[in-house]
Amino acid sequence: MEPYAIYLISDSIGETAELVVRSALYQFETDNYQIRKYSYVQTTEEIESIIEKAALSENAMIFYTFVKREMAAHMKMLTEQKKLFSVDIYTPILNGLSQLFQMQPLEKPGINRQLDEEYFNRVEAIEFSVKYDDGRDPRGIEKADIVLIGVSRTSKTPLSIYLANKNLKVANIPLFPESKPPKELYQIPPERIIGLVNSPAKLNEVRKERLKSLGLPPSASYAGMERILEELEYADQIMKKIGCKKIDVSNKAIEETADHILHYMDALHIKRKQL
């Protein structure tokens, strides 16, 4: 038996039609079909040429995604004339959203491809935050959109990664009495620096859990209250010297702290640097 011919026709790359159709094909235990994909179909003449080819097959089915109504209408007219079974994937969705929003769609093919830039920027931001995590390289301070500073266990790293997913380049610097902060920290505008603060009790709790996960005794000085208070006092001195904003993270989820930082940036019109 001649394989069924499944035509995917689009005014863009056609990945939406392909994703939908291939997902549906999993529901059928057969491989007796051929997918014929036509991307970037921009004229009615191209549509007519493809339909002529499809009409030569007795077992053809057409799926199409056109954002321009005239192209979708032309496709519908031709498939009906040729008595070809076809499915218009986009038009019902666009019509529904048009009624919901009370506005007309842009009808710009491939506009979703513009989202690729945002995706790659996010990937670069995540790579940046990993590279400049935990003070590994102070050169990242001058390149960062936001620099997080604070003592150990103030959520600097998870917050950095979360903000990177919002396309922010984030560097984070740990503060502890035995090490002076990098000089670059005093060479950038203080509004680009966020000091993270945690309560002594919360730090004591999370540091004990950290030691436990490492197989170390909870009595180690790292989790001791005396050491914690010493670190917090030192960090507070540094933050005051810099003049940066401080955020208490002791009772905040990562998402809440991140949202606070984003609103802060918007309020001060702090622009994100180009990656």
Side-chain angles (χ1 to χ4, degrees), residues 21-256:
V21 171
R22 288 193 182 277
S23 177
L25 283 170
Y26 285 125
Q27 301 299 319
F28 300 90
E29 296 181 338
T30 180
D31 57 1
N32 188 36
Y33 59 85
Q34 292 180 346
I35 291 181
R36 303 172 185 177
K37 187 176 176 181
Y38 294 84
S39 303
Y40 302 108
V41 176
Q42 302 292 329
T43 66
T44 55
E45 289 77 15
E46 290 178 272
I47 291 177
E48 292 164 7
S49 175
I50 297 169
I51 294 302
E52 288 297 328
K53 294 176 183 177
L56 298 176
S57 173
E58 294 183 0
N59 300 314
M61 183 173 182
I62 296 172
F63 295 87
Y64 57 95
T65 53
F66 287 105
V67 295
K68 290 186 177 180
R69 292 183 180 182
E70 60 183 54
M71 295 286 282
H74 194 69
M75 174 66 80
K76 181 179 180 182
M77 178 191 70
L78 289 178
T79 54
E80 288 178 348
Q81 286 180 355
K82 297 291 184 179
K83 293 182 170 51
L84 291 169
F85 188 56
S86 65
V87 176
D88 182 349
I89 296 175
Y90 264 173
T91 299
I93 299 173
L94 292 173
N95 286 344
L97 292 174
S98 182
Q99 291 181 19
L100 175 65
F101 299 139
Q102 291 297 298
M103 65 174 65
Q104 296 301 313
L106 297 175
E107 296 192 12
K108 292 182 179 180
I111 195 170
N112 60 310
R113 305 301 299 175
Q114 295 176 8
L115 296 176
D116 284 349
E117 182 178 354
E118 181 178 349
Y119 169 77
F120 288 116
N121 282 345
R122 187 182 308 120
V123 171
E124 287 187 58
I126 293 172
E127 291 176 346
F128 180 95
S129 295
V130 170
K131 181 178 181 180
Y132 297 110
D133 178 48
D134 205 31
R136 290 176 186 170
D137 187 344
R139 291 177 297 180
I141 292 174
E142 296 179 345
K143 303 174 185 177
D145 295 311
I146 285 292
V147 179
L148 306 177
I149 61 174
V151 302
S152 175
R153 316 317 290 175
T154 48
S155 303
K156 296 186 298 299
T157 295
L159 184 56
S160 295
I161 298 301
Y162 187 92
L163 288 170
N165 275 282
K166 301 295 183 181
N167 289 2
L168 277 178
K169 295 182 297 178
V170 184
N172 74 77
I173 306 294
L175 298 179
F176 49 97
E178 291 77 15
S179 178
K180 291 183 179 180
K183 64 180 185 303
E184 289 85 354
L185 206 55
Y186 301 98
Q187 296 172 350
I188 65 171
E191 60 266 22
R192 287 192 178 272
I193 303 173
I194 303 290
L196 302 179
V197 180
N198 210 336
S199 70
K202 189 68 174 180
L203 281 174
N204 177 256
E205 177 186 337
V206 297
R207 288 190 178 189
K208 283 183 177 179
E209 286 299 317
R210 176 60 175 165
L211 289 171
K212 183 178 178 181
S213 69
L214 295 173
L216 298 173
S219 58
S221 62
Y222 172 72
M225 191 59 70
E226 183 179 348
R227 172 63 183 183
I228 289 172
L229 292 173
E230 180 187 6
E231 289 185 23
L232 288 174
E233 183 179 356
Y234 174 75
D236 185 61
Q237 292 173 1
I238 297 298
M239 293 173 192
K240 286 179 178 178
K241 184 176 181 180
I242 292 172
C244 65
K245 178 179 178 59
K246 293 194 293 185
I247 299 177
D248 188 340
V249 302
S250 56
N251 294 307
K252 289 185 176 66
I254 297 297
E255 297 84 354
E256 186 179 356

